Amino acid sequence: MTQRRLARRAFLGAAFILPVGACSKSSWNNPLSALMPYKPFTLSERGDRMVRWLYYSGKEAMLAPDALSLMGLENGGRYIPVKQLAEDGPDGRYVISLVNIRKIHEFVLHRRRGDLLIIHQCDTAFRREMSVRFPRDGKPTVITDTSVAEADFQEQLAFWFARMPAR
């Protein structure tokens, strides 16, 4: 008879505990995740605002695949559809594009300085992934000097962060 009571109590205990565990969004791999609040992996707050700003205010455009194919953004050799904003800055023309051909949002920033176009690809957390230098009468090449590429990328980001509306 005690085994029967024990089985009944175990069943009732499981009936109360299992639904709570099923609703939990914590990971089973991390035992401390139950103590931490659940935060889904989405865009950063700034990235989310930038995506919305470009999506609703940007103009639809098509980018040539030459430089973007070096970055891994390919559309079968065809032009790549983007939402784009462009403004003239103190030292050249700045352009930011929202690309969504791999089913994820990515940004492509580029700035024209005379006959040279410097292009950066970054994710929605604004981590630079690749940079390309594209002269007007030449072929695109990857910028291997990371300090120069990162400095220019940060300048372009600062330009667009200063213009992004606070929504």
Side-chain angles (χ1 to χ4, degrees):
M1 196 125 132
T2 59
Q3 287 180 350
R4 194 172 197 183
R5 278 189 198 164
L6 184 62
R8 188 181 311 151
R9 286 182 183 170
F11 177 74
L12 290 173
F16 288 118
I17 298 293
L18 284 176
V20 173
C23 294
S24 172
K25 295 195 177 188
S26 62
S27 171
W28 288 99
N29 298 331
N30 184 0
L32 297 176
S33 63
L35 303 174
M36 296 180 251
Y38 175 70
K39 204 169 197 184
F41 180 72
T42 58
L43 304 173
S44 64
E45 184 178 330
R46 261 189 178 169
D48 188 35
R49 282 191 296 148
M50 185 74 79
V51 166
R52 279 185 281 140
W53 181 41
L54 285 168
Y55 188 78
Y56 292 114
S57 301
K59 307 274 190 268
E60 291 188 11
M62 300 293 274
L63 292 180
D66 301 338
L68 298 181
S69 63
L70 285 176
M71 296 180 188
L73 296 171
E74 294 181 1
N75 193 17
R78 298 183 305 265
Y79 278 65
I80 297 171
V82 296
K83 289 281 194 162
Q84 192 173 73
L85 287 175
E87 285 190 27
D88 288 321
D91 58 346
R93 181 129 176 107
Y94 289 79
V95 179
I96 185 167
S97 304
L98 176 65
V99 181
N100 193 14
I101 61 170
R102 292 191 264 191
K103 303 299 180 201
I104 56 171
H105 294 299
E106 295 176 278
F107 297 115
V108 174
L109 298 107
H110 46 284
R111 172 172 40 179
R112 187 181 67 217
R113 285 184 168 173
D115 287 342
L116 182 66
L117 192 64
I118 300 173
I119 306 169
H120 304 285
Q121 174 195 9
C122 69
D123 59 6
T124 54
F126 301 107
R127 288 185 298 263
R128 185 182 64 83
E129 295 175 7
M130 180 79 71
S131 298
V132 172
R133 179 180 293 120
F134 195 2
R136 182 180 297 255
D137 296 325
K139 291 187 177 190
T141 57
V142 175
I143 300 174
T144 55
D145 188 356
T146 57
S147 61
V148 170
E150 190 65 34
D152 187 71
F153 173 68
Q154 294 300 327
E155 283 180 29
Q156 290 190 40
L157 269 184
F159 178 86
W160 288 109
F161 285 160
R163 281 147 183 81
M164 183 171 52
R167 295 181 187 188

